[in-house]
Amino acid sequence: MKWANFLHVYQPAEQQRDILEAIVTQCYRPIFTHIRDNKDLRLTININGALLELFARDGYTDLIDCLKEAGKDGRVEFTCSAKYHAFLPFLSKEEIIRQIQINNDTMKRYLGDSYKPRGFFPPEMGFKPELAPILNEMGFEWVILDEIALTGTPGAIDNSKQYKIKGTDMKVFFRDRRLSNLIMSAVVRSPETLKEAMKGEIQNDNYVITAMDGETFGHHRPGLEKMLFNVWSGKEYDLVNISDLSALGIETVEVQPVASTWASSKEDIDHNIQFLSWADPENKIHKWQNELLALTLKEVYAMDKTHPRYDQVRMKMDLGLASDHFWWASAKPWWSVEMIEDGAYRLLDTIHLVPDVSAETLSKASKLYENIISTAFNWQRTGRIREMMRSQNSILRIPFADRTVGKGGAEEGVFHAFIDMMTKLEKEAAARGEYEKAILWRDALYKLTNKLDIYDTVNAIDLLRIEVPHNEVEAVIEKYKEKYRAMRGGQPEQRGS
């Protein structure tokens, strides 16, 4: 089986120095050094040009050197993206091209000939069908998306095939959501548990693609980088670049991926709210943010490009397109008043710098800025944010207990079978020192028994079926069903449905 690892490495432009220093120490330097020194490793990385500029700003040129060395002979390939992490589905064709071009220029400046991108990573794997022909025209050979983009339902990928986007010459490679999330959550944090999680992929002898944030390893999940290094240094997996997969010679199927991100759920797509974290129709702050962005873009586009201030204004506009402040305003569940204000101020500052802007436009921009900030503080002060987070955690979910015990009959045994198996796995994980996994089982047990199930509990049930062979799961379930049948009486009202 060929395994293509993909890491997305990103920090907001102008990230605070102390935060960047911590991430460099905990994550970037250990990982980049290992990548440089492991001559057998093949890997695909996206690192935005804005982050390379931060490395240069703060004196981390050794990290740039590591990347240049690793990419020199092609064992590590770099993708292209949007320099400041703009959310591309919301932008015009001309703006998308600009954000890609300025990223290319920056990457080439720092990485030189080591930067030869064949593939493209859209920030957040944010995709709309109109993006494909633009990328195709720009010469990209492939784009990476989440598996849900294939049909709008996860789990539809057939890894005995490859996929090409209709109407283009460009392939699309899909991220394995289940395996990527198991690694990112640190549920899988040892070579042994990774092997268990990958049993299905290993048996099919085709290929698999995992994709996740590079900061997961060492920064978000301290110690998880050791598992990554063990995998990279071992000989158990055939590690490849994503571009290597094009040479497999397997059947290629034409598809038209749907609008989505790597965070989209089937319900989001079905309800046409797959871009919820950046444009929630129920979020007034998102509405004003997007209005302020559109207003600022309009004024920048109307500016005379020969004006001596144009380059300065255009640079500020590029920074203002970063999608972070929309994401942090979603409150489902991400929230930061500081990031919301920072993004809104960048746009307001840009529009103030544009020459000859009308008083009416400046007044409108200022009012939008005030609406965004005052509403953000009001929501935080009044507890609205907590309520939005609770609401997000409860929508479209039926507690597992209601789907088993609530149905009555032998299905009650299914509930108790899962509780028994999770309890056993929690103890085993704790004994092995896999504390994140033990916590997952503990939390899942609490949520299942108290009808507080959320998506990570569903993932825990999926993981249980990975960790315990299917026949053993079914045997335990049958044992509990038999126990129920032996206990029940003969009255009709006690019979299972």
Side-chain angles (χ1 to χ4, degrees):
M1 182 204 70
K2 296 187 182 299
W3 180 10
N5 285 269
F6 176 87
L7 294 183
H8 168 52
V9 181
Y10 166 73
Q11 288 300 302
E14 302 176 349
Q15 175 64 281
Q16 296 177 44
R17 294 176 187 270
D18 59 328
I19 295 176
L20 183 61
E21 180 183 16
I23 300 171
V24 165
T25 302
Q26 297 162 356
C27 174
Y28 295 156
R29 183 164 285 122
I31 289 178
F32 292 0
T33 301
H34 186 91
I35 290 172
R36 179 198 62 196
D37 295 342
N38 187 339
K39 304 302 182 184
D40 296 324
L41 177 63
R42 293 188 73 81
L43 180 71
T44 303
I45 296 178
N46 177 72
I47 179 167
N48 297 57
L51 182 51
L52 294 182
E53 289 182 336
L54 288 177
F55 290 164
R57 180 198 73 179
D58 291 354
Y60 301 123
T61 55
D62 62 307
L63 302 182
I64 298 174
D65 292 339
C66 283
L67 294 172
K68 286 177 69 174
E69 177 68 21
K72 188 169 56 178
D73 57 4
R75 57 193 174 88
V76 171
E77 69 169 343
F78 300 100
T79 62
C80 186
S81 190
K83 179 174 178 179
Y84 296 106
H85 208 263
F87 192 68
L88 300 184
F90 291 171
L91 302 183
S92 67
K93 176 180 179 179
E94 293 72 23
E95 192 61 51
I96 290 170
I97 291 172
R98 174 182 172 83
Q99 294 307 309
I100 294 171
Q101 287 176 336
I102 62 174
N103 189 64
N104 267 335
D105 293 343
T106 306
M107 296 292 290
K108 289 174 182 174
R109 185 166 73 250
Y110 287 103
L111 298 183
D113 293 339
S114 292
Y115 179 67
K116 300 173 183 176
R118 297 171 61 183
F120 188 83
F121 170 78
E124 306 291 342
M125 292 191 181
F127 180 82
K128 62 178 181 178
E130 295 82 356
L131 182 60
I134 299 173
L135 299 178
N136 190 54
E137 288 174 20
M138 297 188 75
F140 294 107
E141 297 177 18
W142 56 263
V143 61
I144 182 170
L145 302 176
D146 185 78
E147 64 178 48
I148 203 169
L150 178 59
T151 63
T153 300
I157 302 302
D158 180 353
N159 283 346
S160 68
K161 298 179 175 64
Q162 290 191 10
Y163 298 91
K164 174 180 173 291
I165 299 180
K166 289 180 181 177
T168 74
D169 301 317
M170 191 169 60
K171 287 188 175 180
V172 53
F173 290 105
F174 294 103
R175 162 192 187 247
D176 186 303
R177 174 177 283 203
R178 178 193 65 85
L179 187 56
S180 298
N181 288 344
L182 288 177
I183 295 171
M184 284 182 69
S185 63
V187 169
V188 170
R189 65 174 305 126
S190 70
E192 293 73 27
T193 51
L194 175 63
K195 187 175 180 180
E196 281 295 312
M198 293 185 73
K199 275 191 299 190
E201 285 80 4
I202 292 172
Q203 289 168 357
N204 69 30
D205 197 34
N206 293 310
Y207 70 93
V208 67
I209 298 170
T210 54
M212 59 207 74
D213 291 330
E215 295 80 13
T216 300
F217 303 95
H219 178 57
H220 298 312
R221 301 289 185 183
L224 193 59
E225 74 279 7
K226 295 175 183 176
M227 187 272 286
L228 194 67
F229 298 160
N230 284 336
V231 170
W232 286 350
S233 299
K235 304 296 182 183
E236 189 158 5
Y237 303 102
D238 186 2
L239 302 178
V240 298
N241 297 339
I242 291 178
S243 292
D244 294 335
L245 297 174
S246 294
L248 287 181
I250 57 180
E251 179 185 357
T252 299
V253 180
E254 281 199 341
V255 296
Q256 180 54 72
V258 302
S260 58
T261 74
W262 62 359
S264 298
S265 68
K266 181 181 184 302
E267 288 82 4
D268 292 339
I269 294 172
D270 288 346
H271 291 85
N272 199 32
I273 52 171
Q274 56 269 70
F275 302 142
L276 189 74
S277 296
W278 303 270
D280 183 347
E282 298 179 353
N283 188 323
K284 290 193 298 184
I285 294 177
H286 274 174
K287 174 178 176 292
W288 292 323
Q289 285 176 318
N290 280 293
E291 286 182 13
L292 181 55
L293 175 62
L295 183 65
T296 309
L297 277 170
K298 180 181 177 182
E299 293 300 323
V300 172
Y301 289 161
M303 188 176 172
D304 180 0
K305 292 181 174 57
T306 65
H307 193 284
R309 206 187 299 165
Y310 177 77
D311 288 343
Q312 181 185 5
V313 172
R314 186 61 249 203
M315 171 65 174
K316 283 185 174 289
M317 185 72 255
D318 292 330
L319 286 164
L321 284 169
S323 62
D324 306 75
H325 56 119
F326 295 89
W327 191 75
W328 284 107
S330 67
K332 294 182 178 180
W334 312 108
W335 178 258
S336 168
V337 172
E338 182 181 14
M339 293 297 292
I340 295 168
E341 193 282 332
D342 182 68
Y345 179 78
R346 282 184 184 175
L347 295 175
L348 182 63
D349 188 40
T350 302
I351 212 166
H352 272 283
L353 198 62
V354 175
D356 304 321
V357 176
S358 69
E360 180 183 358
T361 297
L362 289 175
S363 175
K364 184 176 180 180
S366 297
K367 181 63 176 176
L368 287 168
Y369 172 83
E370 291 168 8
N371 286 345
I372 291 166
I373 303 311
S374 62
T375 302
F377 275 109
N378 178 262
W379 284 4
Q380 184 157 308
R381 184 171 53 250
T382 61
R384 170 76 181 272
I385 296 304
R386 290 184 178 276
E387 182 58 36
M388 290 173 72
M389 291 177 178
R390 282 197 296 268
S391 175
Q392 177 67 9
N393 283 338
S394 63
I395 59 172
L396 300 175
R397 296 166 195 176
I398 302 173
F400 186 62
D402 287 349
R403 289 185 275 119
T404 51
V405 176
K407 290 181 68 176
E411 288 303 309
E412 184 173 345
V414 176
F415 177 83
H416 294 294
F418 274 101
I419 294 297
D420 181 67
M421 286 184 282
M422 288 182 183
T423 301
K424 179 182 177 183
L425 288 167
E426 178 193 357
K427 293 177 181 177
E428 291 176 352
R432 290 194 303 266
E434 295 180 345
Y435 300 115
E436 286 90 350
K437 184 181 288 188
I439 291 169
L440 183 147
W441 297 128
R442 182 201 66 190
D443 290 351
L445 285 163
Y446 177 82
K447 291 164 186 171
L448 287 172
T449 53
N450 290 279
K451 297 186 180 183
L452 299 173
D453 315 19
I454 60 174
Y455 288 130
D456 62 331
T457 299
V458 175
N459 288 338
I461 292 171
D462 291 340
L463 179 63
L464 186 148
R465 292 189 179 275
I466 294 166
E467 293 229 342
V468 181
H470 180 75
N471 60 328
E472 291 184 25
V473 173
E474 297 306 316
V476 173
I477 290 173
E478 187 58 32
K479 180 186 76 172
Y480 276 86
K481 284 186 175 181
E482 283 299 322
K483 188 180 294 185
Y484 170 82
R485 294 188 188 103
M487 293 171 57
R488 72 178 184 180
Q491 297 301 317
E493 64 268 20
Q494 292 180 304
R495 291 177 186 161
S497 58

